[in-house]
C-alpha cells in the first residue's frame, strides 16, 4: 500500500513562504541601472538635491522613504508621498508611478530615449498633510444617555462637537472640550444612525421608529417619513453637488428601499430594486448613490433621476458594509487641515469639488473605488477576532490580532496612519432581542470592552484603551484628528485624547 504523506505543518508552510519571498527579492535585483531624479513640490520648487536611484529599488514606497530621509525627518515623522513624473523638455506628466520592471519601458514610450542619462523631475504630493497622534488617555467620561450608545459621529466643522444616538430613543449633541451636553433630540424608538452634513449645519438621525429626522442648527426639526421599517443608514449629498433648493439626504431601511429627501422633508425619489433589507447607503462625488443589501447585491443609482445604473452580484451572502475611496473628503467638504474656510457658498463648493477631484484622480481620470464587506467572509473585520488589511489594489498586507472577541467595524484616522477597531452591534442585529426585564439590547457572545488603535506603518497595536465597562458599539475619529469618541452598553460617552 502506498504511503500517504501527512499535510505540511504550519512551520513548513512558513518556510516555503519565506523561500518564495527570497526568490522574489533575487528576481527583483536583476533589474540593473539607475535613474537620476530631482524632487519638486506641486509648484515646481525643489525639495531636495538630485540623487541617483537604483532601478531595482525605485518603488514608490522606497522613493517616498528616500525623500523623507533627504528632508532629515525621523522615521516616526515620515510623510507618505505619491509621485508624478515630469518628462524633461515636455509638458507630459506621468500620473501613474510605474513599477521598477516597467520604468524604462514607460519612459521610452513617453519619448525619453536614454533614461539613464536623463534627470527626471518627481513631483511629490504628500498623502498625509498632518499627523494624527494616537489617543492614549481618557479626557472625559460623559454620562447622560439612559440606554446603550449605538452610534456616534463628529461634526466635520470641529472636533469639539459630537453627536450620539442611543437605545433611549434620543440623539444627543455634546461639547467634547468641556464634556457637557448641548442638545437632546427626541425619537420614539432606538436611534440607530446619526450623520452630520458636510457643512456641519445639519444633523440627520434615523431610528427604529421608521422616521428620519434632520435638525437645522440642532434646534429646528424636520421629520422625513415614508419608510415602513426601521432606518439602517443615512448619507448626505456631497456639498459640491448641492443645488439651489439645498442639500439632499438619502436613507436606507429594512423595508428594502432607499428614499431621497429634500431639506424641506419632501420625498424626492424612492429607489426600489433590492429584495431584502438595505444595510448601507453611500452618496458619491459623481452624484451616484451606492447601496448594499441582505439580498447579496450592491446597486449603483443615478441620484439625479433615481434610475438604476448597475447591479453588482459578486457576494455570496449579506453585504453588511460599503465604503468609498473618497469618503473622507466628501464628509469634510471644504474643511481641511488649513482651517481656511471660504466665505461664499460658491467658493466653498469650488474647494469641496477640488478636494474630491484630487482624492479621486487616477491616471488622469476621476475614479471612485468601492469596498464592500460581507457575511461570505470577504471583509476586513472578522468573527475570528482579527482584522485583515489590504492595499488599494486588493493585495493582502497584514493581519491585526489583539481583540479577544469578534471585530465588526474599523475606522481610519484622518491621515490614514492609524486605525481604530471596536465591536459594533449593527452587523449583528440578528443577535439582538427585546427583553422587558433587561436592557433594550441583549448581546449574545463574548465580551471585549476595549477600543484599540493600530499603527498602519508597522501593523502593530499602538494603544489599548480599556476604559469601558461593557461592550463598545460606536467609535468616531474627529476629522481634525484631535480626539476619538466611543460609546456602548455602559451608556457613557468616552472622549480620548493624546
Amino acid at each position: 500500500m502506498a504511503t500517504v504523506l501527512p499535510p505540511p505543518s504550519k512551520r513548513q508552510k512558513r518556510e516555503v513562504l519565506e523561500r518564495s519571498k527570497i526568490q522574489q527579492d533575487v528576481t527583483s535585483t536583476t533589474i540593473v541601472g539607475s535613474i537620476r531624479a530631482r524632487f519638486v513640490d506641486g509648484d515646481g520648487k525643489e525639495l531636495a538635491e538630485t540623487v541617483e536611484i537604483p532601478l531595482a529599488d525605485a518603488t514608490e514606497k522606497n522613493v517616498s522613504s528616500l525623500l523623507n530621509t533627504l528632508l532629515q525627518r525621523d522615521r516616526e515623522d515620515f510623510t507618505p508621498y505619491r509621485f508624478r513624473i515630469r518628462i524633461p523638455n515636455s509638458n507630459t506628466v506621468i500620473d501613474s508611478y510605474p513599477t521598477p520592471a516597467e520604468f524604462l519601458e514607460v519612459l521610452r514610450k513617453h519619448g525619453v530615449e536614454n533614461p539613464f542619462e536623463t534627470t527626471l523631475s518627481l513631483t511629490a504630493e504628500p498623502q498625509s498633510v498632518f499627523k494624527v497622534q494616537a489617543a492614549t488617555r481618557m479626557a472625559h467620561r460623559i454620562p447622560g444617555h439612559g440606554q446603550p450608545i449605538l452610534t456616534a459621529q463628529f461634526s466635520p466643522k470641529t472636533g469639539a462637537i459630537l453627536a450620539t444616538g442611543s437605545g433611549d430613543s434620543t440623539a444627543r449633541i455634546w461639547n467634547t472640550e468641556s464634556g457637557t451636553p448641548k442638545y437632546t433630540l427626541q425619537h420614539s424608538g432606538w436611534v440607530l444612525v446619526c450623520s452630520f452634513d458636510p457643512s456641519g449645519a445639519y444633523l440627520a438621525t434615523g431610528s427604529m421608529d421608521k422616521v428620519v429626522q434632520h435638525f437645522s442648527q440642532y434646534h429646528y426639526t424636520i421629520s422625513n417619513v415614508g419608510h415602513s421599517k426601521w432606518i439602517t443608514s443615512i448619507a448626505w449629498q456631497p456639498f459640491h453637488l448641492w443645488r439651489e433648493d439645498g442639500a439632499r439626504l438619502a436613507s436606507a431601511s429594512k423595508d428594502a428601499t432607499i428614499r431621497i429627501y429634500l431639506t424641506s422633508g419632501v420625498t424626492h425619489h424612492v429607489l426600489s430594486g433590492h429584495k431584502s433589507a438595505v444595510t448601507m447607503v453611500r452618496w458619491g462625488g459623481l452624484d451616484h448613490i451606492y447601496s448594499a443589501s441582505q439580498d447579496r447585491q450592491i446597486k449603483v443609482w443615478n441620484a439625479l433621476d433615481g434610475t438604476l445604473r448597475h447591479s453588482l452580484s459578486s457576494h455570496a451572502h449579506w453585504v453588511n458594509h460599503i465604503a468609498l475611496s473618497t469618503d473622507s473628503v466628501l464628509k469634510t467638504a471644504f474643511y481641511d487641515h488649513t482651517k481656511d474656510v471660504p466665505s461664499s457658498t460658491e467658493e466653498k463648493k469650488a474647494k469641496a469639488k477640488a478636494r474630491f477631484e484630487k482624492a479621486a484622480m487616477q491616471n488622469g481620470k476621476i475614479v471612485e473605488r468601492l469596498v464592500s464587506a460581507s457575511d461570505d467572509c470577504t471583509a476586513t473585520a472578522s468573527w475570528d477576532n482579527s482584522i485583515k488589511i489590504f492595499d488599494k489594489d486588493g493585495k493582502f498586507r497584514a493581519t491585526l490580532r489583539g481583540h479577544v472577541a469578534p471585530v465588526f467595524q474599523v475606522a481610519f484616522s484622518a491621515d490614514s496612519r492609524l486605525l481604530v477597531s471596536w465591536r459594533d452591534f449593527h452587523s449583528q442585529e440578528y443577535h439582538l432581542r427585546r427583553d422587558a426585564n433587561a436592557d433594550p439590547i441583549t448581546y449574545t457572545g463574548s465580551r471585549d470592552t476595549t477600543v484599540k488603535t493600530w499603527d498602519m506603518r508597522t501593523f502593530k497595536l499602538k494603544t489599548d484603551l480599556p476604559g469601558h465597562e461593557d461592550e463598545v458599539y460606536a467609535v468616531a475619529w474627529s476629522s481634525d484628528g484631535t480626539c476619538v469618541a466611543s460609546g456602548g452598553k455602559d451608556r457613557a460617552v468616552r472622549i480620548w485624547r493624546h
Side-chain angles (χ1 to χ4, degrees):
M1 186 174 70
T3 303
V4 179
L5 295 176
S9 66
K10 290 184 178 179
R11 179 182 61 79
Q12 290 170 325
K13 290 180 180 178
R14 189 163 55 247
E15 289 174 349
V16 170
L17 179 61
E18 290 299 323
R19 284 199 299 271
S20 69
K21 288 181 178 179
I22 292 172
Q23 291 170 354
Q24 290 174 0
D25 291 341
V26 170
T27 301
S28 67
T29 59
T30 60
I31 303 174
V32 297
S34 299
I35 58 170
R36 288 207 303 261
R38 59 187 291 266
F39 296 100
V40 297
D41 62 17
D43 297 324
K45 181 181 177 182
E46 189 169 281
L47 295 174
E49 61 187 24
T50 300
V51 294
E52 286 202 5
I53 306 173
L55 269 177
D57 298 326
T59 64
E60 193 165 25
K61 182 178 179 181
N62 286 345
V63 174
S64 178
S65 297
L66 173 61
L67 176 56
N68 277 281
T69 301
L70 292 173
L71 295 175
Q72 299 183 344
R73 293 179 179 145
D74 293 334
R75 179 162 290 276
E76 286 294 322
D77 296 323
F78 273 18
T79 296
Y81 285 97
R82 179 184 173 201
F83 296 97
R84 300 177 189 272
I85 303 173
R86 294 185 176 273
I87 302 301
N89 305 316
S90 169
N91 293 325
T92 302
V93 177
I94 302 174
D95 289 324
S96 182
Y97 190 90
T99 65
E102 301 169 338
F103 221 108
L104 296 181
E105 181 183 351
V106 170
L107 291 178
R108 287 174 176 141
K109 187 182 294 183
H110 287 84
V112 181
E113 296 181 0
N114 192 345
F116 300 114
E117 299 297 328
T118 303
T119 299
L120 302 173
S121 293
L122 302 185
T123 301
E125 297 182 350
Q127 301 300 289
S128 175
V129 291
F130 66 100
K131 184 177 179 180
V132 174
Q133 298 291 330
T136 57
R137 62 181 178 86
M138 187 192 303
H140 294 291
R141 177 188 179 277
I142 315 174
H145 279 297
Q147 295 294 349
I149 296 166
L150 311 179
T151 182
Q153 190 181 92
F154 279 96
S155 166
K157 185 184 300 185
T158 171
I161 302 297
L162 173 75
T164 57
S166 169
D168 64 7
S169 302
T170 69
R172 292 174 183 258
I173 297 176
W174 313 88
N175 184 318
T176 63
E177 292 180 345
S178 62
T180 56
K182 291 174 66 68
Y183 305 101
T184 300
L185 317 171
Q186 190 68 49
H187 274 272
S188 59
W190 302 354
V191 179
L192 303 180
V193 288
C194 63
S195 178
F196 283 98
D197 81 286
S199 74
Y202 301 96
L203 174 71
T205 57
S207 168
M208 290 190 74
D209 62 10
K210 312 171 191 175
V211 174
V212 177
Q213 297 189 42
H214 67 267
F215 306 89
S216 174
Q217 298 298 331
Y218 323 133
H219 58 80
Y220 178 63
T221 306
I222 297 175
S223 295
N224 306 302
V225 297
H227 284 297
S228 60
K229 293 185 178 180
W230 73 63
I231 313 303
T232 56
S233 181
I234 289 173
W236 285 95
Q237 183 182 35
F239 187 83
H240 67 274
L241 299 174
W242 285 19
R243 301 177 178 89
E244 292 182 359
D245 56 357
R248 284 165 170 75
L249 174 70
S251 61
S253 170
K254 283 280 290 181
D255 66 10
T257 68
I258 301 104
R259 301 181 78 91
I260 301 176
Y261 303 98
L262 304 178
T263 48
S264 62
V266 175
T267 299
H268 187 57
H269 291 301
V270 179
L271 311 182
S272 55
H274 284 292
K275 298 177 182 178
S276 299
V278 182
T279 54
M280 181 67 67
V281 63
R282 286 282 190 266
W283 200 317
L286 298 174
D287 221 6
H288 294 156
I289 291 176
Y290 304 83
S291 58
S293 170
Q294 290 179 1
D295 65 7
R296 301 178 292 181
Q297 290 195 335
I298 298 169
K299 293 186 181 292
V300 184
W301 312 81
N302 185 327
L304 189 62
D305 58 16
T307 57
L308 180 64
R309 294 180 59 90
H310 304 287
S311 288
L312 311 178
S313 305
S314 299
H315 284 292
H317 213 296
W318 296 357
V319 187
N320 297 322
H321 198 87
I322 54 176
L324 298 176
S325 58
T326 54
D327 275 344
S328 178
V329 292
L330 294 180
K331 178 182 175 182
T332 53
F334 49 85
Y335 296 109
D336 60 17
H337 68 288
T338 67
K339 310 298 183 184
D340 180 19
V341 178
S343 56
S344 71
T345 300
E346 289 306 313
E347 290 173 331
K348 290 177 180 178
K349 282 187 177 182
K351 183 174 181 178
K353 184 179 180 181
R355 294 186 71 219
F356 161 70
E357 291 180 345
K358 181 177 180 180
M361 190 66 67
Q362 295 286 335
N363 299 326
K365 296 181 179 180
I366 296 176
V367 178
E368 281 187 305
R369 293 174 182 252
L370 177 73
V371 178
S372 58
S374 167
D375 270 10
D376 62 11
C377 300
T378 50
T380 56
S382 172
W383 279 88
D384 65 4
N385 309 344
S386 72
I387 302 160
K388 305 287 186 185
I389 302 298
F390 300 84
D391 66 19
K392 66 181 181 180
D393 296 318
K395 182 181 178 182
F396 173 74
R397 296 295 305 278
T399 298
L400 311 183
R401 298 190 182 277
H403 282 283
V404 294
V407 183
F408 297 117
Q409 287 193 12
V410 296
F412 281 94
S413 64
D415 64 353
S416 299
R417 290 180 55 260
L418 301 172
L419 179 82
V420 68
S421 59
W422 73 99
R423 307 193 50 169
D424 177 82
F425 91 102
H426 284 291
S427 302
Q428 287 238 102
E429 62 184 344
Y430 42 87
H431 282 292
L432 303 180
R433 61 184 176 85
R434 304 283 313 234
D435 187 340
N437 299 316
D439 290 342
I441 294 180
T442 301
Y443 184 95
T444 61
S446 62
R447 294 182 175 181
D448 187 315
T449 77
T450 67
V451 176
K452 298 184 187 296
T453 306
W454 308 83
D455 189 328
M456 288 294 94
R457 181 179 58 83
T458 61
F459 301 123
K460 300 294 185 182
L461 181 65
K462 185 81 171 178
T463 54
D464 200 343
L465 309 177
H468 280 279
E469 299 163 11
D470 214 322
E471 298 171 23
V472 181
Y473 295 148
V475 169
W477 279 100
S478 63
S479 59
D480 59 7
T482 58
C483 60
V484 175
S486 59
K489 199 172 179 180
D490 58 13
R491 309 177 185 181
V493 177
R494 264 79 170 177
I495 305 299
W496 310 87
R497 297 186 185 276
H498 175 64

